[in-house]
Amino acid sequence: AQSVTQPDIHITVSEGASLELRCNYSYGATPYLFWYVQSPGQGLQLLLKYFSGDTLVQGIKGFEAEFKRSQSSFNLRKPSVHWSDAAEYFCAVGAPYNTDKLIFGTGTRLQVFP
Amino acid sequence: DAGITQSPRHKVTETGTPVTLRCHQTENHRYMYWYRQDPGHGLRLIHYSYGVKDTDKGEVSDGYSVSRSKTEDFLLTLESATSSQTSVYFCAIRTERGEAFFGQGTRLTVV
């Protein structure tokens, strides 16, 4: 069965520091992978996605993620965090060519200190 | 935002009453989803639809029903609301490429 694990519930970084949010998935083949961001009281916004091809994908707001098949991971990174990046981040996995389900991790809350 | 509108945005209801949440989309997407979001659980799939009158259960479907009589509308009904259904409910659509886009959510409180 598909599953997504985000091992870090809460992360705190200083503004300007680098960031890496971890995501591990369980799936029998190469899935579709997504990162979403949610600001308080808002819906989820798609940051980036991986379908196939280049394993390093670029997203909006300066974020990138790297798909590592051998580690079943899809970690989100940003070289320099801004205070406005404080939010909750969700990793999600879906089956290729099958849009019936998208499974989410439990989220990582990012706090940014000035 | 893929033209997704959820209504109402906030609702307080009493235990045992029926509640219907509406999701409306303007871009004719085939796939629509209802999730609930609770602290520590992330988003959990309640029901989804892959076309008019075609729906299926997600992982937390007990106590919920859905209907989709038109492509643009996907309704979620709590037949008899319970306090455990207090949550934030999100509607989503998925494109044919597999990307999901979400509405702004409905905060439901059952007292």
Side-chain angles (χ1 to χ4, degrees):
Chain A
Q2 296 172 339
S3 68
V4 178
T5 302
Q6 293 181 249
D8 303 305
I9 296 173
H10 187 200
I11 285 183
T12 302
V13 299
S14 298
E15 190 169 20
S18 63
L19 173 70
E20 183 169 29
L21 302 183
R22 296 183 291 166
C23 173
N24 293 97
Y25 68 90
S26 174
Y27 189 70
T30 301
Y32 287 174
L33 294 160
F34 307 84
W35 275 100
Y36 287 84
V37 61
Q38 183 183 34
S39 298
Q42 301 297 310
L44 281 76
Q45 181 183 19
L46 180 64
L47 275 179
L48 48 76
K49 57 187 180 288
Y50 173 78
F51 288 162
S52 64
D54 193 345
T55 56
L56 184 64
V57 294
Q58 302 297 320
I60 61 171
K61 305 185 180 187
F63 285 92
E64 65 179 25
E66 186 171 12
F67 169 60
K68 293 186 177 180
R69 185 192 308 274
S70 61
Q71 299 177 19
S72 296
S73 69
F74 188 57
N75 294 349
L76 182 71
R77 301 194 294 247
K78 188 170 185 179
S80 179
V81 171
H82 188 262
W83 63 266
S84 60
D85 293 324
E88 189 150 24
Y89 292 80
F90 293 93
C91 181
V93 60
Y97 310 111
N98 185 345
T99 51
D100 67 343
K101 295 176 184 176
L102 196 58
I103 306 299
F104 284 81
T106 52
T108 297
R109 181 165 297 279
L110 174 66
Q111 195 169 7
V112 181
F113 282 113
Chain B
D1 63 357
I4 303 167
T5 304
Q6 291 185 231
S7 60
R9 292 292 314 278
H10 302 271
K11 186 169 181 68
V12 180
T13 192
E14 293 185 349
T15 298
T17 60
V19 177
T20 295
L21 309 183
R22 180 181 183 238
C23 178
H24 178 79
Q25 58 140 333
T26 59
E27 298 187 0
N28 216 34
H29 293 290
R30 179 180 171 191
Y31 301 95
M32 298 185 75
Y33 305 81
W34 277 107
Y35 287 87
R36 61 177 288 174
Q37 183 178 29
D38 304 286
H41 291 277
L43 281 88
R44 293 180 292 175
L45 182 63
I46 305 172
H47 281 281
Y48 60 100
S49 170
Y50 39 96
V52 173
K53 299 191 188 304
D54 288 325
T55 64
D56 207 345
K57 297 179 180 180
E59 60 180 308
V60 290
S61 60
D62 288 348
Y64 302 94
S65 63
V66 290
S67 66
R68 192 157 177 213
S69 57
K70 298 184 291 184
T71 299
E72 59 266 35
D73 289 325
F74 191 31
L75 304 181
L76 176 70
T77 297
L78 291 66
E79 302 291 347
S80 177
T82 67
S83 58
S84 65
Q85 293 175 312
T86 292
S87 187
V88 180
Y89 292 86
F90 286 99
C91 173
I93 60 93
R94 281 188 82 182
T95 68
E96 295 294 336
R97 276 174 50 82
E99 301 154 315
F101 297 94
F102 288 80
Q104 291 299 297
T106 295
R107 182 173 296 277
L108 177 67
T109 303
V110 183
V111 297

